[in-house]
């Protein structure tokens, strides 16, 4: 049986920001709902310590959210889930919808509820988008999920090189040789999450985004882009559920190396 730990954070009132579009019901008047949960499978630090096999199935993941990102077991593809449909992007950039019994090694997921939204006419790069979104967050001490739809003038995405046991390289060694995909003039959605600094090596600190095109033929881990006519939707999340794999590999790993992705 998987072991899970829940960290329940207190809810707070959203700041008064008149240029944002809020959900119909004020967030402070809503009780904590079952959907207000950040589901997290495995640990970010496991990647650098060569834990590349998981026991979470696609079917089990879909029970935890309708929006998400992650990686499939043995790093056979990046995962992005939008509107309840999980996509798998392999090392060649081919996008498929995996069967329910396909397993994952790492997942962030939630049932997305739009708490606030706004428009961005133009962004020159990924860094600028992060700055704009971060400036709108009511607090940097909570978790957030994002859907950012628009027209991307150019998009640079990363994949993951698949691995087979015995695993000899950690993610810190694999990222420099990751496959890269480029496309110009593509409409699609960035799916992402924000974690506060106190998350440590459990998850990615700051922002983490994956992308899927509207025609579901192009996707992966977002590396760089420029875009226009962006519609940003934000879901503030106040509950964090952390589940670790039930496997001999995870049970016996020493976590000798630490690693934190630097795109914040």
């Amino acid at each position: 049986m998987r072991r899970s730990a829940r960290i329940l954070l207190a809810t707070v009132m959203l700041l008064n920001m008149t240029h944002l579009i809020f959900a119909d019901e004020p967030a402070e008047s809503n009780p904590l709902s079952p959907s207000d949960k950040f589901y997290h499978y495995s640990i970010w630090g496991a990647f650098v310590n060569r834990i590349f096999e998981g026991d979470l199935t696609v079917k089990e993941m879909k029970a935890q959210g309708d929006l998400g990102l992650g990686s499939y077991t043995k790093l056979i593809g990046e995962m992005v889930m939008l509107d309840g449909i999980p996509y798998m992007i392999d090392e060649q950039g081919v996008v498929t919808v995996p069967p329910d019994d396909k397993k994952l090694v790492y997942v962030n997921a939630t049932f997305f509820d739009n708490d606030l939204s706004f428009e961005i006419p133009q962004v020159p790069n990924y860094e600028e988008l992060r700055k704009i979104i971060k400036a709108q967050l009511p607090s940097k001490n909570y978790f957030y999920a994002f859907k950012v739809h628009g027209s991307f003038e150019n998009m640079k995405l990363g994949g993951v090189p698949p691995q087979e046991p015995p695993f000899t390289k950690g993610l810190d060694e694999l990222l420099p040789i990751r496959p890269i995909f480029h496309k110009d003039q593509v409409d699609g959605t960035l799916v992402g999450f924000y974690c506060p600094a106190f998350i440590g090596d459990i998850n990615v600190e700051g922002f983490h985004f994956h992308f899927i095109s509207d025609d579901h033929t192009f996707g992966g881990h977002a590396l760089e882009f420029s875009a226009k006519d962006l519609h940003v939707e934000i879901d503030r999340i106040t509950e964090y559920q952390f589940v670790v794999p039930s496997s001999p590999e995870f049970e016996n790993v020493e976590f000798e190396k630490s690693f934190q992705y630097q795109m914040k």
Side-chain angles (χ1 to χ4, degrees):
M1 180 179 294
R2 298 192 183 93
R3 295 164 289 174
S4 65
R6 292 175 178 260
I7 304 171
L8 184 61
L9 305 176
T11 58
V12 296
M13 184 180 296
L14 292 177
L15 298 180
N16 180 23
M17 294 186 290
T18 58
H19 59 290
L20 301 182
I21 305 170
F22 285 84
D24 293 336
E25 191 72 19
E28 65 270 20
S29 68
N30 290 333
L32 186 64
S33 66
S35 66
D36 195 17
K37 179 182 69 177
F38 189 130
Y39 176 82
H40 176 196
Y41 173 74
S42 194
I43 182 172
W44 182 250
F47 278 148
V48 74
N49 289 282
R50 304 185 299 279
I51 302 298
F52 295 137
E53 291 183 284
D55 57 351
L56 181 75
T57 67
V58 166
K59 182 178 181 179
E60 291 170 324
M61 175 189 68
K62 289 190 293 186
Q64 301 298 331
D66 56 14
L67 179 124
L69 56 77
S71 296
Y72 291 89
T73 194
K74 297 183 182 178
L75 304 186
I76 60 170
E78 294 276 18
M79 187 278 289
V80 55
M81 180 166 59
L82 180 63
D83 299 327
I85 302 174
Y87 300 94
M88 183 171 71
I89 303 98
D90 70 12
E91 74 277 13
Q92 302 298 323
V94 177
V95 180
T96 57
V97 176
D100 279 349
D101 61 353
K102 183 68 72 175
K103 293 184 178 181
L104 299 113
V105 67
Y106 169 80
V107 168
N108 290 170
T110 192
F111 285 102
F112 190 86
D113 295 312
N114 182 26
D115 290 325
L116 57 100
S117 60
F118 57 94
E119 314 294 325
I120 306 176
Q122 188 90 29
V123 289
N125 51 52
Y126 192 1
E127 181 180 4
E128 185 64 22
L129 178 65
R130 296 196 303 273
K131 287 181 180 179
I132 293 171
I133 293 177
K134 195 169 186 178
Q136 309 297 349
L137 298 181
S139 170
K140 310 305 186 296
N141 299 326
Y142 292 87
F143 300 90
Y144 298 92
F146 308 97
K147 287 197 289 188
V148 183
H149 183 269
S151 298
F152 294 82
E153 295 158 331
N154 58 77
M155 175 63 78
K156 178 182 178 182
L157 302 175
V160 285
Q163 302 296 300
E164 289 292 338
F167 306 116
T168 59
K169 295 180 179 180
L171 190 63
D172 55 333
E173 298 173 89
L174 295 174
L175 285 183
I177 59 171
R178 73 188 311 169
I180 303 295
F181 317 123
H182 297 266
K183 194 167 187 178
D184 295 332
Q185 306 304 326
V186 56
D187 292 345
T189 303
L190 288 165
V191 169
F193 292 88
Y194 172 88
C195 290
F198 60 70
I199 200 66
D201 288 334
I202 293 175
N203 209 338
V204 177
E205 177 188 341
F207 294 96
H208 186 182
F209 281 98
H210 285 192
F211 177 81
I212 187 70
S213 63
D214 284 351
D215 63 6
H216 309 143
T217 63
F218 179 68
H221 176 90
L223 294 174
E224 190 52 83
F225 54 79
S226 62
K228 63 181 181 179
D229 301 328
L230 295 181
H231 177 66
V232 181
E233 296 179 75
I234 302 177
D235 180 10
R236 187 196 56 171
I237 305 173
T238 54
E239 182 180 355
Y240 197 96
Q241 182 183 3
F242 176 43
V243 180
V244 296
S246 179
S247 67
E249 292 78 14
F250 190 89
E251 182 175 345
N252 296 314
V253 68
E254 295 293 335
F255 292 107
E256 297 171 347
K257 298 171 70 176
S258 62
F259 175 69
Q260 182 54 251
Y261 191 61
Q262 294 303 311
M263 190 171 285
K264 300 177 183 179

